[in-house]
Amino acid sequence: MLLFLAGPIAYCVWIAFTDLQLSGQAESSFVGLENFRTAFDDEGFVNAVWLTLVFTILSSIVGQNTLGLALASLMQRASKTVRTVTGAIVITAWVVPEVVAGFLLYAFFRREGTLNSVLDWLHLPGQNWLYTLPILAVSFANIWRGTAFSMLVYSAALSEIPKEITEAAEVDGAGGWRKLWHVTLPMIRRSIATNLMLNTLQTLSVFGLIWAMTRGGPGDRSQTLPLFMYEQAFKNNLLGYGTAVALLLLLVGALFSLVYMRMLRTEV
Amino acid sequence: MLATALTAVLAATALSACGDSGSDPDTVRVQFKKSTDAKNKIFDREIEAVKKEFEEKFPGKKVELIPVQVPDEQYYTKVQQMLRSPKTAPDLVYEDTFLINSDIAAGLLTPLDDYLKDWKDWGQYIDTAKTAAQGQDGKTYGVPDGTDTRGLWYNKELFAEAGLPTDWQPKTWDDVLDAARTIKRELPGVIPLNVYTGKPAGEASSMQGFEMLLYGTGEDPLYDPGSKKWVAGSQGFTDALDFVHTVYNDGLGPDPQDALDPNVGTKVGTEWLPEGKLAIDLDGSWMSNNWLETGPKPWPEWTEVLGQAAMPTQNGQAPGRVSMSGGWAWSIPAKANNPDLAFEFMKVAQSRKNNTRLTIANGQIAVREDVAADPEYQAYVPGVEFFTGLVEDTHYRPALPVYPQVSTAIQEAMEQVTTGDASAEEAAKGYDEQLDSITDGEVVEK
């Protein structure tokens, strides 16, 4: 069992230090840190790191997280019918397979797509979103797809807050914002950290969604690390280099996780 | 995703290690790619017929067919894994000529020259096709069973409206651009000329787009087989980029936003051409598959509406026209257990009769002269005669192990001139720098 789990991981770490190719090579050899050096000199890699950060912060930390919380707190107060309908819609978005979601949003954002039809109807100028603002379009797509998860986490967290505490705060004269800031958020802090960690890790590895919408383009203006890694490993056949990039992506995920873990710890 | 991809590769390694041993001297094991479309059994039927014929011809010998039903890219990986061990290597393998050089470089295939010199049918193969599976050592490692070619598709109705000849045959690049300019002037709203470009269209940009131009500028413009080095700094390269630049900057092509849409290929085949929105398309021989009764966009009138013309060389220099080709070939793995028997099977599979049937079954262009002359072949799809004629002047890609990276670099250079971010000279310079790093400086200036 240990071998089954750890074996492939160890093998991955090993090939990141070799010049292994998918084909065209009689044997591969150990190249030390060469792949990592190449990565940091590679404009494409640096670009992908930036886009990955933009994509993650925008769609996961800001988008899914905030919107999920907002929806959850609105639904606390909403009637049962509204709750059921909203829940169904949001969760459907989550259940749709990644690639299918990618295609749906491609159809939404493309020039002859739904978004521009709506804008046109409102007499607002449309544009080819996938071409002019690709990273924003794919970030929005990820928000659309991933908000359900945050909403579920926060709904559970909010319903755990004892009624007496919120009522007490109201009696003390706390308004909506103060109540949120001083009562609700501290009480659900643990859920926020968990949710952020899961969202971030999931978003860092998003591939199918972006692939279906833009293929990382135009140019490399929406090429996040997973797409860059795919291009190197499976299009350019540089399996060793691609794996090194994957390891670096793992590192980025670990860094985010560390930050969230600290958040969890200071709570107690 | 990353983990999944890597696990898949690892799983492939593990699986291929436990296949059964094929050391029976009376059995020839033949591996081929089975269509992922479960309804498409044409190729399977043909190969079963070949098996039967072989077993009747060689009593006591058996054929074991090893169909691999996976998408193209996975097939390449799977073949790679299987060829590496004598336990799993088949005796005969069907491979894309695009990858064959990688397998030759990795030492996975057997040179066939000794077999071919005693096989009289080899003389039937068109000279260019014989090079389809040639290694850098000049030896032949595969017998192609068919190919594809590329040229210009044009809409005769739109040409007539714009006052252009409906039996159009351009002689130079300028002729092509002139026709496109006329369309733009006379028929606003129609896309004059489509040339695939940029990374989203992938290999279509490199092969149907750029290389169709580049190979019309001179001999061996991408890779120099003499010095075995990649070509940098060639005038032809800049000129080809400049052509793309002109198409997109002068508004002769699709809007760059459409050209850089990952689904542009589908649009060309199912919308732009059938709906009369595109006048000229630089594309492949297979385009009419789109318009079959069973295809994605049935369009029976296409035979009346569309004409075909060869893509001319830059200034009309000899041989006057250019085409690029791919296709699949039969090879014997270096670790095959019964190579002699495998070649016997290949001979049966590639007999005139069977090659004709297989070529038609696969919707390909013939590489044998006797097959090309066969009335059944000539009638199987309109336009086949035209595209078959191009085989004589066609080129195969230098499909060496680094080619996929070179191809990506070409697509990036194309994309820069398409969006207008760089001039042809600047983009060509960027390509040269990338080429230098891809090949570790193994380049030759031309």
Side-chain angles (χ1 to χ4, degrees), chain A residues 103 106 110, chain B residues 191 194 196 261-278 281 283 286-292 294-299 302 306:
Chain A
F103 178 75
Y106 165 80
R110 70 191 203 125
Chain B
I191 302 164
N194 174 54
Y196 292 108
D261 185 309
N263 301 315
V264 61
T266 314
K267 275 192 192 168
V268 171
T270 59
E271 291 174 31
W272 294 351
L273 280 174
E275 290 168 15
K277 290 179 184 164
L278 172 64
D281 179 35
D283 220 314
W286 59 84
M287 283 308 277
S288 55
N289 292 348
N290 281 309
W291 312 313
L292 301 176
T294 50
K297 175 85 185 183
W299 182 32
W302 77 267
L306 294 183

Side-chain angles (χ1 to χ4, degrees), chain A residues 43, chain B residues 232-233 409 426-441 443 445:
Chain A
E43 277 174 41
Chain B
E426 287 161 353
K429 204 167 147 253
Y431 169 79
D432 287 346
E433 280 164 14
Q434 262 194 297
L435 188 67
D436 201 67
S437 103
I438 292 166
T439 60
D440 282 326
V443 294
E445 298 272 335

